[in-house]
Amino acid sequence: MRNSHLVLNYLFLGCLTVLFFNDHFFKFQYTSWFTGKLSDIVGIILFPMLLTYLFPKLKQNSVFVAGLFFAFWKSPFSENFISIYNEVSPISIHRVVDYTDLLVFLFLPVPYFLIKNDTVLKQFSLKKIHAFAVLLPTLFVLMSTSQSRTYIYSPETGTLTFMDVQFEIKKTKADLLKEIQDQNLVLEKDTAYILESSRYEISRMGKFDQNAIKNGGDIFKIDNADLKETLVKEIENSSDYKIREIKIGDRTVRNLRFSIKPAFMAMNPKKNSQIVVHGVQIDKNLDENKVGDRLREIYKSVITSKFKNF
């Protein structure tokens, strides 16, 4: 028999509310590490309770099943499943491969305790509502979570910044770079992205002069020679690149920015690479519908052909 307290308790409903607002508002208005992880935290709390409600026989193992599913979902092994699903479903799903997300396993004892202690759940559960009234909104929120916006478009510059476009290819970094250059494409380090990512390293090199606040002069002092040497090393060691122009479909886009990382979870990590596409420059002042059409074209082409067929 299903236990309605599993989905009618205030913790479950609170997590569901936070999940909805975080994925549809907070992530875009207050982009940060915290909002990026918040959905995973509340999701790992409510998911085992939902599983136990839907499948009562899983009560003893729902937390472990939820953990295994989350680990699979956050790994490159789910890539084929997502690709097949997106081919047949009108609602596409996306996710970011980020192994730091697995830290949310620290919150699994919370649902484990509640599932094992029904008397505790009864004390803070809604009494005069049917579980079915919560189940449908729950499924809606979980599905809408998967289709949250995956890009940011700046109409003034035409910059389209992707939020979760990453995939694996069966090539080493050296082989991929060589094949790109063999096609006479202009490949260079993405210095703007690299320097932006180096802000913390730069700030550690300098010193603040408190007296300069009152007396004038340079408040933040840094040795230019040391700064140049550090930045040159950062650029040389970085795996962030951009292609000045590349044809995607029947259009030519500019400044396709991407990173190449080792594919740690691959069957043969020494011969596989993970590509993370940061963004691309398209036409300026496009309306939202045209951005969506262009995004689908670029996303599909980059994922299915460009990098994999270099």
Side-chain angles (χ1 to χ4, degrees):
M1 183 176 177
R2 290 190 174 92
N3 182 359
S4 61
H5 299 302
L6 289 164
V7 295
L8 294 179
N9 65 80
Y10 295 124
L11 178 62
F12 182 93
L13 297 174
C15 287
L16 190 65
T17 303
V18 171
L19 183 63
F20 177 79
F21 281 103
N22 191 58
D23 280 327
H24 294 275
F25 178 73
F26 297 140
K27 279 185 178 179
F28 310 115
Q29 297 298 322
Y30 309 103
T31 303
S32 67
W33 181 89
F34 177 72
T35 55
K37 303 299 181 187
L38 184 57
S39 292
D40 292 329
I41 293 172
V42 296
I44 204 67
I45 292 174
L46 69 83
F47 189 45
M49 290 190 282
L50 177 63
L51 278 178
T52 307
Y53 173 76
L54 294 174
F55 309 101
K57 292 183 178 181
L58 280 179
K59 181 177 181 179
Q60 302 299 323
N61 300 302
S62 59
V63 170
F64 303 105
V65 172
L68 287 173
F69 178 82
F70 186 85
F72 166 76
W73 180 252
K74 289 294 182 176
S75 76
F77 295 116
S78 62
E79 195 69 52
N80 290 335
F81 167 79
I82 294 172
S83 299
I84 294 172
Y85 178 87
N86 287 339
E87 288 292 329
V88 300
S89 173
I91 302 176
S92 61
I93 58 177
H94 311 283
R95 62 90 179 83
V96 178
V97 177
D98 184 352
Y99 299 118
T100 63
D101 291 341
L102 300 182
L103 290 173
V104 300
F105 284 169
L106 295 173
F107 292 87
L108 281 175
V110 176
Y112 181 84
F113 172 78
L114 294 175
I115 292 170
K116 295 291 185 180
N117 295 273
D118 185 54
T119 55
V120 177
L121 282 176
K122 287 182 180 180
Q123 295 177 11
F124 59 103
S125 294
L126 298 176
K127 303 297 190 297
K128 298 181 179 180
I129 186 173
H130 196 279
F132 189 74
V134 173
L135 186 60
L136 284 180
T138 299
L139 297 177
F140 168 77
V141 171
L142 291 176
M143 289 300 296
S144 63
T145 295
S146 299
Q147 57 172 334
S148 58
R149 189 170 57 168
T150 58
Y151 67 93
I152 297 174
Y153 173 66
S154 174
E156 295 82 8
T157 62
T159 302
L160 190 63
T161 302
F162 295 105
M163 300 176 67
D164 69 348
V165 179
Q166 48 188 299
F167 52 94
E168 287 188 10
I169 60 172
K170 295 181 179 180
K171 293 183 177 73
T172 64
K173 173 183 174 180
D175 289 340
L176 175 62
L177 295 179
K178 183 178 184 302
E179 291 180 20
I180 292 175
Q181 292 171 331
D182 286 346
Q183 294 195 20
N184 296 320
L185 296 170
V186 179
L187 177 72
E188 57 192 19
K189 289 291 182 76
D190 187 2
T191 53
Y193 184 85
I194 297 169
L195 295 181
E196 180 67 23
S197 304
S198 303
R199 280 189 174 189
Y200 177 71
E201 186 66 27
I202 295 172
S203 66
R204 291 179 57 193
M205 297 176 59
K207 295 181 179 180
F208 286 97
D209 184 356
Q210 297 183 11
N211 295 325
I213 297 176
K214 296 180 179 180
N215 304 329
D218 295 330
I219 298 174
F220 184 77
K221 296 181 179 181
I222 189 169
D223 185 276
N224 286 331
D226 291 342
L227 176 62
K228 182 177 180 180
E229 181 181 355
T230 298
L231 294 181
V232 168
K233 288 182 179 178
E234 288 287 328
I235 293 172
E236 289 178 350
N237 296 331
S238 175
S239 294
D240 300 308
Y241 298 89
K242 70 176 179 180
I243 300 174
R244 284 190 186 178
E245 288 189 352
I246 186 170
K247 190 166 184 177
I248 296 180
D250 59 351
R251 295 182 174 91
T252 298
V253 297
R254 301 176 303 281
N255 296 325
L256 175 60
R257 299 180 293 107
F258 64 97
S259 299
I260 308 174
K261 300 180 179 181
F264 291 112
M265 296 293 289
M267 296 298 292
N268 193 345
K270 292 184 178 180
K271 293 186 177 181
N272 287 23
S273 300
Q274 183 184 45
I275 305 298
V276 181
V277 182
H278 300 299
V280 69
Q281 191 171 1
I282 59 176
D283 298 333
K284 298 180 181 179
N285 300 317
L286 294 175
D287 62 44
E288 193 66 23
N289 290 330
K290 289 184 178 180
V291 173
D293 292 340
R294 187 68 61 84
L295 173 68
R296 284 189 291 272
E297 177 188 6
I298 292 173
Y299 184 90
K300 182 178 180 181
S301 296
V302 169
I303 294 294
T304 61
S305 63
K306 285 300 175 184
F307 282 95
K308 294 185 177 181
N309 291 331
F310 270 130

